[in-house]
Amino acid sequence: MNDYLDIFVNGYTSYAKYLWKTISSPFDSGGLNYFYFLIIISLIVWGLELLFPWRKEQKAFRKDFWLDAFYMFFNFYIFNLLLFVALSSVTTEMLKDVLAPLGYQGGHLLDLSNLHWGWQLFIFFIVSDFVQWGVHNLLHRVPFLWEFHKVHHSVKEMGFAAHLRYHFGETFVYNSFKYISLSMIFGFQLELAFIVHALAITIGHLNHANIGLDYGPLKYILNNPKMHIWHHAKDIPSSHPKGMNFGISLSLWDYLFKTNYIPYEGRDIELGFEDDENYAPGFLDQLIAPFKPKRKHEGQ
């Protein structure tokens, strides 16, 4: 138990030092500075929204703009500092201890780190995105998980920052599957994981932005704003009762598994879910909403 406590404390202090160095030394963080990268890519995509708005009547500071901006920094940094990084370190060590009797001593079942970096990047991106597509499906199909995912679907006006409005509970679900599928099975160069992470942030920002893009023929491979808007549609078609367009960075999986749905241009469709007018309005309310008793079944 003392070993786990030491891991927890070390994980907390290490991340606190890393975060402070990232903020205080933007050009000396030992690699890509994600704190300022998030700010810069957000400003760029927001600028594109202002220059080329798809919904021209939508305000620059749309409904819940500042709530979503807070979610961005809470989910990426504050939550990591408060709990997630330290708890993840303990959980990883516990998992190794549980699997040790089966012969697992840590490391990777398939070490791909000696492959050319281009192949590593491609495989990591494809596998990571497919895993997240599968998890996203679960968030819609498992009632308990849907209660957490509702936070993301409570967005009523789409904009870049809506990308990172999600309940911290989703972090545990996504990262658990990603750790098992990527860290335990495959071995990649760590720098490539950072590149894929930055790419996913950029594509995710664009998918939620007030920009009328579909990338032409590439729309069958890359997720895009005109496709993702339908994922947030309040009216769910009978053909897709559990939702549609689950792609994170790639739309490819939706077309392969027949979860794609774009009946017409969705620029002005209503967003949300059934009875969302009575949903928790602010950050703290949304934080505890999944744990509160439900008055009735609410659509998804």
Side-chain angles (χ1 to χ4, degrees), residues 217-229:
L218 292 178
K219 66 185 178 183
Y220 299 108
I221 299 175
L222 289 174
N223 198 4
N224 55 83
K226 286 190 174 182
M227 183 175 192
H228 193 68
I229 192 78

Side-chain angles (χ1 to χ4, degrees), residues 4-150:
Y4 292 142
L5 181 60
D6 289 341
I7 293 172
F8 183 88
V9 173
N10 289 335
Y12 175 81
T13 54
S14 296
Y15 184 76
K17 292 177 181 178
Y18 162 78
L19 182 58
W20 173 246
K21 182 179 179 181
T22 300
I23 296 173
S24 61
S25 305
F27 302 107
D28 185 30
S29 59
L32 180 62
N33 189 311
Y34 275 106
F35 184 83
Y36 291 102
F37 170 78
L38 180 61
I39 293 174
I40 292 170
I41 197 63
S42 296
L43 290 174
I44 290 174
V45 177
W46 188 31
L48 292 175
E49 286 187 352
L50 300 180
L51 290 172
F52 310 104
W54 191 24
R55 294 170 293 279
K56 299 185 184 300
E57 74 287 351
Q58 185 169 300
K59 296 179 180 179
F61 294 96
R62 58 176 174 77
K63 178 178 173 60
D64 290 338
F65 177 92
W66 294 112
L67 173 64
D68 292 345
F70 177 76
Y71 263 111
M72 283 205 308
F73 289 96
F74 177 84
N75 282 324
F76 261 49
Y77 301 107
I78 300 174
F79 176 58
N80 283 347
L81 178 62
L82 293 177
L83 180 63
F84 184 71
V85 170
L87 187 60
S88 295
S89 300
V90 173
T91 303
T92 300
E93 191 63 27
M94 284 183 173
L95 184 59
K96 291 179 182 178
D97 291 343
V98 169
L99 295 177
L102 301 177
Y104 179 73
Q105 300 297 325
H108 318 289
L109 299 180
L110 295 173
D111 188 0
L112 304 181
S113 61
N114 292 323
L115 286 179
H116 185 276
W117 68 267
W119 280 112
Q120 287 189 63
L121 184 63
F122 177 76
I123 295 171
F124 189 96
F125 179 71
I126 295 297
V127 174
S128 175
D129 195 72
F130 179 68
V131 169
Q132 291 181 91
W133 178 87
V135 173
H136 197 180
N137 265 275
L138 288 178
L139 293 176
H140 281 258
R141 297 175 188 277
V142 179
F144 173 73
L145 298 180
W146 167 244
E147 294 303 326
F148 291 93
H149 196 48
K150 273 183 179 178

Side-chain angles (χ1 to χ4, degrees), residues 88-246:
S88 295
S89 300
V90 173
T91 303
T92 300
E93 191 63 27
M94 284 183 173
L95 184 59
K96 291 179 182 178
D97 291 343
V98 169
L99 295 177
L102 301 177
Y104 179 73
Q105 300 297 325
H108 318 289
L109 299 180
L110 295 173
D111 188 0
L112 304 181
S113 61
N114 292 323
L115 286 179
H116 185 276
W117 68 267
W119 280 112
Q120 287 189 63
L121 184 63
F122 177 76
I123 295 171
F124 189 96
F125 179 71
I126 295 297
V127 174
S128 175
D129 195 72
F130 179 68
V131 169
Q132 291 181 91
W133 178 87
V135 173
H136 197 180
N137 265 275
L138 288 178
L139 293 176
H140 281 258
R141 297 175 188 277
V142 179
F144 173 73
L145 298 180
W146 167 244
E147 294 303 326
F148 291 93
H149 196 48
K150 273 183 179 178
V151 170
H152 184 62
H153 280 267
S154 65
V155 173
K156 298 300 292 181
E157 291 186 348
M158 195 72 88
F160 75 93
H163 171 208
L164 299 180
R165 183 202 291 198
Y166 58 84
H167 195 282
F168 70 82
E170 287 193 24
T171 304
F172 290 105
V173 182
Y174 272 111
N175 283 35
S176 296
F177 279 91
K178 287 168 66 178
Y179 175 77
I180 294 172
S181 61
L182 294 172
S183 297
M184 292 182 65
I185 298 177
F186 301 103
F188 296 99
Q189 295 177 24
L190 186 59
E191 295 80 1
L192 301 181
F194 292 155
I195 294 173
V196 170
H197 184 56
L199 183 61
I201 293 173
T202 302
I203 295 175
H205 268 32
L206 288 169
N207 289 340
H208 292 81
N210 181 21
I211 305 172
L213 290 176
D214 64 9
Y215 308 133
L218 292 178
K219 66 185 178 183
Y220 299 108
I221 299 175
L222 289 174
N223 198 4
N224 55 83
K226 286 190 174 182
M227 183 175 192
H228 193 68
I229 192 78
W230 283 101
H231 177 72
H232 285 261
K234 184 169 185 176
D235 293 327
I236 303 297
S238 58
S239 59
H240 296 74
K242 294 298 182 179
M244 54 280 185
N245 302 350
F246 298 107

Side-chain angles (χ1 to χ4, degrees), residues 243-299:
M244 54 280 185
N245 302 350
F246 298 107
I248 305 300
S249 294
L250 299 176
S251 61
L252 175 66
W253 314 120
D254 287 304
Y255 287 104
L256 284 176
F257 295 100
K258 309 301 183 184
T259 52
N260 60 295
Y261 181 80
I262 311 175
Y264 58 87
E265 184 177 80
R267 184 188 65 182
D268 299 316
I269 61 173
E270 185 177 4
L271 311 181
F273 50 83
E274 182 184 347
D275 198 36
D276 60 4
E277 61 272 13
N278 295 315
Y279 191 66
F283 175 76
L284 292 178
D285 290 328
Q286 291 176 1
L287 210 62
I288 63 175
F291 307 103
K292 296 175 67 175
K294 302 300 174 294
R295 293 173 302 170
K296 64 175 183 177
H297 173 75
E298 295 171 317

